Amino acid sequence: GQQVMQIPQYQHVQEGEDFTTYCNSSTTLSNIQWYKQRPGGHPVFLIQLVKSGEVKKQKRLTFQFGEAKKNSSLHITATQTTDVGTYFCAGQGTSYDKVIFGPGTSLSVIP
Amino acid sequence: GAVVSQHPSRVICKSGTSVKIECRSLDFQATTMFWYRQFPKKSLMLMATSNEGSKATYEQGVEKDKFLINHASLTLSTLTVTSAHPEDSSFYICSARDTRYNSPLHFGNGTRLTVT
């Protein structure tokens, strides 16, 4: 079945440093979504990527969808303490049905 | 934006009892809702897909008689953990998509279940 992998599992950065998390799917995806979960909270939707090679930006966050629609990345420029949390990628196969989550990358930002 | 309401947020029950968790889409109709389970510091594991008016589709390894799902209307899905045991203690989260727009998932706030 479809599997979604994500690396790294944990990342500790100094405030102001950049951060990147990478997501890979075992199968081609119809779209990929990114979510952020703060400690004690529920996942909050960040963005959805649909097109091959798509790049989207949200302020300091840059999201990319690979050409083969099997991998994606999230890059945060100049991290802030408010960026702390776990970032999950989630992929949907061509069925447009269930969404499978990656294991997440937990980001800690040291002030 | 789309809102998904989940209740209760926290429940403590004794072994052997059953617990019902409700998931409602407040401002959109959701023909499909998803139930996830999350262990501490772990990812969200899809348990089942809840389909309005029909049987839920369970993921491999999830006991359908243990986790009863009912999706009786376009805005409500329920998950009942039957004969709960301590190993069922977990964080359960529902989500729904506004299928008119193939939207991303909107999550409820989750239910922290503790079985003593």
Side-chain angles (χ1 to χ4, degrees), chain A residues 9-10 31 33 35 37 40-45 47-48 88 92 96-104, chain B residues 32 34 36 38 41-46 49 59 91 93 97 102-110 112:
Chain A
Q9 186 177 2
Y10 301 98
N31 67 79
Q33 300 157 30
Y35 296 82
Q37 185 175 24
H42 62 86
V44 174
F45 170 74
I47 208 158
Q48 177 171 273
F88 294 99
Q92 273 185 293
Y96 278 85
D97 286 337
K98 56 188 180 183
V99 176
I100 302 300
F101 279 75
Chain B
T32 304
F34 303 91
Y36 290 86
Q38 187 176 34
K41 300 187 185 300
K42 297 294 184 182
S43 186
L44 289 86
M45 182 191 77
L46 179 64
T49 301
E59 294 300 301
F91 190 53
I93 311 177
R97 292 169 51 223
N102 193 27
S103 74
L105 294 175
H106 302 283
F107 282 88
N109 287 339
R112 172 78 55 195

Side-chain angles (χ1 to χ4, degrees), chain B residues 5-36:
Chain B
S5 174
Q6 186 174 342
H7 293 283
S9 59
R10 220 173 257 279
V11 58
I12 301 173
C13 71
K14 294 186 177 181
S15 287
T17 61
S18 296
V19 174
K20 180 185 282 189
I21 303 169
E22 289 190 349
C23 181
R24 294 180 185 272
S25 56
L26 295 186
D27 54 358
F28 66 98
Q29 293 182 337
T31 55
T32 304
M33 293 185 177
F34 303 91
W35 288 95
Y36 290 86

Side-chain angles (χ1 to χ4, degrees), chain A residues 1-5 23-27 29 70 100-103:
Chain A
Q2 179 190 348
Q3 289 187 334
V4 177
M5 289 76 71
C23 180
N24 280 284
S25 170
S26 58
T27 58
L29 301 170
K70 295 180 72 173
I100 302 300
F101 279 75

Side-chain angles (χ1 to χ4, degrees), chain A residues 19-59:
Chain A
F19 159 76
T20 304
T21 172
Y22 300 91
C23 180
N24 280 284
S25 170
S26 58
T27 58
T28 302
L29 301 170
S30 62
N31 67 79
I32 196 158
Q33 300 157 30
W34 285 90
Y35 296 82
K36 177 183 178 181
Q37 185 175 24
R38 293 181 185 275
H42 62 86
V44 174
F45 170 74
L46 294 177
I47 208 158
Q48 177 171 273
L49 304 171
V50 179
K51 298 177 183 176
S52 169
E54 188 170 15
V55 178
K56 286 188 176 180
K57 291 191 175 185
Q58 290 179 350
K59 298 182 180 178

